[in-house]
Amino acid sequence: MFDLVPFGKRRDDAFGVLAKSLNEVFNDDFFAPIKSSTMSFRTDIRESEQAYLIEAEMPGFKKEEIDIDYASPYLTIKAVRKEENSEENKDHQVVRRERRYGEYVRRFYVQDIADDEIRASLKDGLLTLSVPKRQKSQGKRIEIQDSGSSGEQLQ
């Protein structure tokens, strides 16, 4: 079973949504940078007989900024962005300085995986994870021995 674990999702009535959006319009700081309402990233998940393939869009992130952790039964992908931009004039006086910090997290509920065989790669802003499933044993047929033929008895 491979499911997203929903955090903070709930349904609002139509009036509540309208009141919330009006509140955001009048309480927004005009000069603040545009922010996303969710601090997550888009993922595609595919399943085959042997593994799950997770593709996560992570544009602008370096591999050092991404942390992938598996603590049974949760697989967590976390990316942290810290930016500081500064502009100075010719007298080296600060004209503008901006700081931005963001933490993006996705957590997946996963069972029966081979956690020591998980592989990850990052190319062109696309994080690809190969999560192999734990192979189930095929079972073993046990022969019934004749009690007289072995000569041994259990004590």
Side-chain angles (χ1 to χ4, degrees):
M1 174 175 247
F2 193 79
D3 293 316
L4 296 177
V5 177
F7 290 102
K9 299 259 182 177
R10 68 174 225 259
R11 296 186 185 265
D12 290 326
D13 61 305
F15 181 77
V17 172
L18 178 64
K20 181 180 175 187
S21 61
L22 282 174
N23 231 359
E24 289 175 354
V25 169
F26 291 110
N27 290 335
D28 238 1
D29 183 3
F30 180 76
F31 295 103
I34 297 173
K35 309 184 255 188
S36 169
S37 62
T38 59
M39 295 296 278
S40 66
F41 42 87
R42 299 194 186 281
T43 58
D44 294 331
I45 303 169
R46 294 184 183 92
E47 180 180 8
S48 70
E49 293 282 328
Q50 297 82 21
Y52 298 104
L53 179 68
I54 302 171
E55 294 177 330
E57 295 177 3
M58 312 283 293
F61 283 99
K62 296 179 229 157
K63 70 179 187 175
E64 296 82 21
E65 298 171 325
I66 301 171
D67 183 37
I68 303 166
D69 181 47
Y70 180 70
S72 185
Y74 294 102
L75 176 68
T76 304
I77 303 172
K78 177 177 160 183
V80 178
R81 174 165 295 173
K82 297 176 185 177
E83 284 184 27
E84 184 172 319
N85 298 326
S86 182
E87 291 182 20
E88 298 178 358
N89 62 12
K90 62 182 177 179
D91 298 327
H92 300 290
Q93 295 174 339
V94 175
V95 175
R96 183 185 80 161
R97 180 172 290 162
E98 292 181 1
R99 288 166 218 77
R100 193 177 349 194
Y101 178 83
E103 187 173 280
Y104 303 85
V105 179
R106 291 295 298 264
R107 184 172 287 164
F108 305 94
Y109 180 79
V110 194
Q111 289 183 325
D112 296 326
I113 63 168
D115 58 334
D116 55 333
E117 297 177 25
I118 297 173
R119 300 290 177 251
S121 65
L122 180 67
K123 183 178 179 184
D124 298 330
L126 185 67
L127 176 69
T128 304
L129 282 154
S130 175
V131 183
K133 294 179 181 178
R134 185 176 296 139
Q135 297 302 318
K136 296 178 183 172
S137 65
Q138 298 296 325
K140 180 180 173 185
R141 182 167 168 38
I142 300 172
E143 294 290 326
I144 301 174
Q145 298 179 3
D146 293 333
S147 61
S149 65
S150 69
E152 296 178 23
Q153 293 183 356
L154 296 176
Q155 296 181 18

